[in-house]
Coordinates of all heavy atoms in Angstrom, one line a residue:
N1 N -59.5 -36.1 101.9 CA -58.7 -37.0 101.0 C -57.2 -36.8 101.0 O -56.5 -37.7 100.9 CB -59.3 -37.0 99.6 CG -60.7 -37.5 99.5 OD1 -61.0 -38.5 100.0 ND2 -61.6 -36.7 98.9
D2 N -56.8 -35.5 101.1 CA -55.4 -35.2 101.0 C -54.6 -35.3 102.4 O -53.4 -35.6 102.4 CB -55.2 -33.8 100.5 CG -55.7 -33.7 99.0 OD1 -55.7 -34.7 98.3 OD2 -56.0 -32.6 98.6
I3 N -55.3 -35.2 103.5 CA -54.7 -35.1 104.8 C -55.2 -36.1 105.8 O -54.4 -37.0 106.2 CB -54.8 -33.7 105.3 CG1 -54.0 -32.7 104.4 CG2 -54.2 -33.6 106.8 CD1 -54.1 -31.2 104.9
L4 N -56.5 -36.1 106.1 CA -57.0 -36.9 107.2 C -57.0 -38.4 106.9 O -56.5 -39.2 107.7 CB -58.4 -36.4 107.6 CG -58.4 -35.0 108.3 CD1 -59.9 -34.6 108.6 CD2 -57.5 -34.9 109.5
K5 N -57.5 -38.7 105.7 CA -57.6 -40.2 105.4 C -56.2 -40.8 105.4 O -56.1 -41.9 105.9 CB -58.3 -40.3 104.0 CG -59.8 -40.5 104.1 CD -60.4 -40.8 102.7 CE -61.9 -41.0 102.8 NZ -62.4 -41.3 101.5
P6 N -55.2 -40.2 104.7 CA -53.9 -40.9 104.7 C -53.3 -41.0 106.1 O -52.7 -42.1 106.4 CB -53.0 -40.0 103.8 CG -54.0 -39.2 103.0 CD -55.2 -39.1 103.8
I7 N -53.5 -40.0 107.0 CA -53.0 -40.1 108.3 C -53.7 -41.3 109.1 O -53.0 -42.1 109.8 CB -53.1 -38.8 109.1 CG1 -52.2 -37.7 108.4 CG2 -52.8 -38.9 110.6 CD1 -52.4 -36.3 109.0
I8 N -55.0 -41.3 109.0 CA -55.7 -42.4 109.7 C -55.3 -43.7 109.2 O -55.1 -44.7 110.0 CB -57.3 -42.2 109.5 CG1 -57.8 -40.9 110.1 CG2 -58.0 -43.4 110.1 CD1 -57.7 -40.8 111.6
K9 N -55.1 -43.9 107.9 CA -54.7 -45.2 107.4 C -53.3 -45.5 107.9 O -53.0 -46.7 108.3 CB -54.6 -45.1 105.9 CG -54.3 -46.4 105.2 CD -54.3 -46.2 103.7 CE -54.0 -47.6 103.0 NZ -54.1 -47.4 101.5
S10 N -52.4 -44.5 108.0 CA -51.0 -44.8 108.5 C -51.0 -45.1 110.0 O -50.1 -45.8 110.5 CB -50.1 -43.6 108.2 OG -50.4 -42.5 109.0
M11 N -52.0 -44.7 110.7 CA -52.0 -44.8 112.2 C -52.8 -46.1 112.6 O -52.7 -46.5 113.8 CB -52.6 -43.6 112.9 CG -51.9 -42.3 112.7 SD -50.4 -42.3 113.7 CE -49.7 -40.7 113.2
K12 N -53.4 -46.8 111.7 CA -54.3 -47.9 112.0 C -53.5 -49.0 112.7 O -54.0 -49.6 113.7 CB -55.0 -48.4 110.8 CG -56.2 -49.3 111.2 CD -57.0 -49.7 110.0 CE -58.2 -50.5 110.4 NZ -57.9 -51.6 111.3
D13 N -52.3 -49.3 112.2 CA -51.5 -50.4 112.8 C -51.2 -50.1 114.3 O -51.3 -51.0 115.2 CB -50.2 -50.6 112.1 CG -50.4 -51.4 110.8 OD1 -51.5 -52.0 110.6 OD2 -49.5 -51.4 110.0
K14 N -50.9 -48.8 114.6 CA -50.6 -48.5 116.0 C -51.8 -48.6 116.9 O -51.7 -49.1 118.0 CB -50.1 -47.0 116.1 CG -48.7 -46.8 115.5 CD -48.3 -45.3 115.7 CE -46.9 -45.2 115.2 NZ -46.4 -43.8 115.4
A15 N -53.0 -48.2 116.4 CA -54.2 -48.4 117.1 C -54.6 -49.9 117.3 O -55.0 -50.3 118.4 CB -55.4 -47.7 116.4
D16 N -54.4 -50.7 116.2 CA -54.7 -52.1 116.3 C -53.8 -52.8 117.3 O -54.3 -53.7 118.0 CB -54.5 -52.8 114.9 CG -55.6 -52.4 113.9 OD1 -56.6 -51.8 114.4 OD2 -55.4 -52.6 112.7
K17 N -52.6 -52.4 117.4 CA -51.7 -53.1 118.4 C -52.1 -52.8 119.8 O -51.8 -53.6 120.7 CB -50.2 -52.6 118.2 CG -49.6 -53.2 116.9 CD -48.2 -52.6 116.7 CE -47.5 -53.2 115.5 NZ -46.2 -52.6 115.2
K18 N -52.8 -51.7 120.0 CA -53.3 -51.4 121.4 C -54.8 -51.8 121.6 O -55.4 -51.6 122.6 CB -53.2 -49.9 121.6 CG -51.7 -49.4 121.6 CD -51.7 -47.9 122.0 CE -52.0 -47.7 123.5 NZ -51.7 -46.3 123.9
N19 N -55.3 -52.5 120.5 CA -56.7 -52.9 120.6 C -57.7 -51.7 120.8 O -58.7 -51.9 121.5 CB -56.9 -54.0 121.6 CG -56.3 -55.3 121.3 OD1 -56.3 -55.7 120.1 ND2 -55.6 -55.9 122.2
I20 N -57.4 -50.6 120.2 CA -58.3 -49.5 120.3 C -58.8 -49.1 118.9 O -58.1 -49.4 117.9 CB -57.7 -48.2 121.0 CG1 -56.5 -47.7 120.1 CG2 -57.2 -48.5 122.4 CD1 -55.9 -46.4 120.7
S21 N -60.0 -48.7 118.8 CA -60.6 -48.3 117.5 C -60.2 -46.9 117.1 O -60.0 -46.0 117.9 CB -62.1 -48.5 117.5 OG -62.7 -47.5 118.4
I22 N -60.0 -46.7 115.8 CA -59.8 -45.3 115.3 C -60.7 -45.1 114.1 O -60.7 -45.9 113.1 CB -58.3 -45.1 114.9 CG1 -58.0 -43.7 114.4 CG2 -57.8 -46.2 113.9 CD1 -56.6 -43.3 114.3
D23 N -61.5 -44.0 114.1 CA -62.5 -43.8 113.1 C -62.4 -42.3 112.7 O -62.1 -41.4 113.4 CB -63.9 -44.1 113.7 CG -64.0 -45.5 114.1 OD1 -63.9 -46.4 113.2 OD2 -64.2 -45.8 115.3
L24 N -62.8 -42.1 111.4 CA -62.8 -40.8 110.8 C -64.3 -40.5 110.4 O -64.9 -41.3 109.6 CB -61.9 -40.7 109.6 CG -61.9 -39.4 108.7 CD1 -61.5 -38.2 109.6 CD2 -61.0 -39.6 107.5
H25 N -64.8 -39.4 110.8 CA -66.2 -39.0 110.4 C -66.1 -37.6 109.8 O -65.6 -36.7 110.4 CB -67.1 -39.0 111.6 CG -67.2 -40.3 112.3 ND1 -68.3 -41.1 112.0 CD2 -66.5 -40.9 113.3 CE1 -68.2 -42.2 112.7 NE2 -67.1 -42.1 113.5
V26 N -66.5 -37.5 108.5 CA -66.4 -36.3 107.8 C -67.8 -35.9 107.3 O -68.5 -36.7 106.7 CB -65.5 -36.4 106.6 CG1 -65.4 -35.1 105.8 CG2 -64.1 -36.8 107.0
A27 N -68.3 -34.7 107.7 CA -69.7 -34.3 107.5 C -70.0 -34.1 106.0 O -71.1 -34.4 105.5 CB -70.0 -33.0 108.2
E28 N -69.0 -33.7 105.2 CA -69.2 -33.5 103.8 C -68.0 -34.2 103.0 O -66.9 -34.3 103.5 CB -69.2 -32.0 103.4 CG -70.3 -31.3 104.1 CD -70.2 -29.8 103.8 OE1 -69.7 -29.4 102.8 OE2 -70.6 -29.0 104.7
N29 N -68.3 -34.6 101.8 CA -67.3 -35.3 101.0 C -66.1 -34.5 100.7 O -64.9 -34.9 100.7 CB -67.9 -35.9 99.7 CG -68.8 -37.0 99.9 OD1 -68.6 -37.8 100.9 ND2 -69.8 -37.2 99.1

């Protein structure tokens, strides 16, 4: 919640512009 989620959210536009998917998978909450 403090590190990975905010980074993935901030990078989504860059991924979308290249038409590539970006996903986060976390084994535990």
Side-chain angles (χ1 to χ4, degrees):
N1 293 312
D2 296 335
I3 295 178
L4 294 178
K5 270 187 179 178
I7 292 173
I8 296 295
K9 185 177 180 180
S10 71
M11 295 285 177
K12 194 173 185 311
D13 281 348
K14 289 184 178 181
D16 287 346
K17 285 177 182 177
K18 297 185 71 174
N19 291 319
I20 63 174
S21 63
I22 180 167
D23 297 297
L24 173 62
H25 298 268
V26 180
E28 301 176 27
N29 287 332

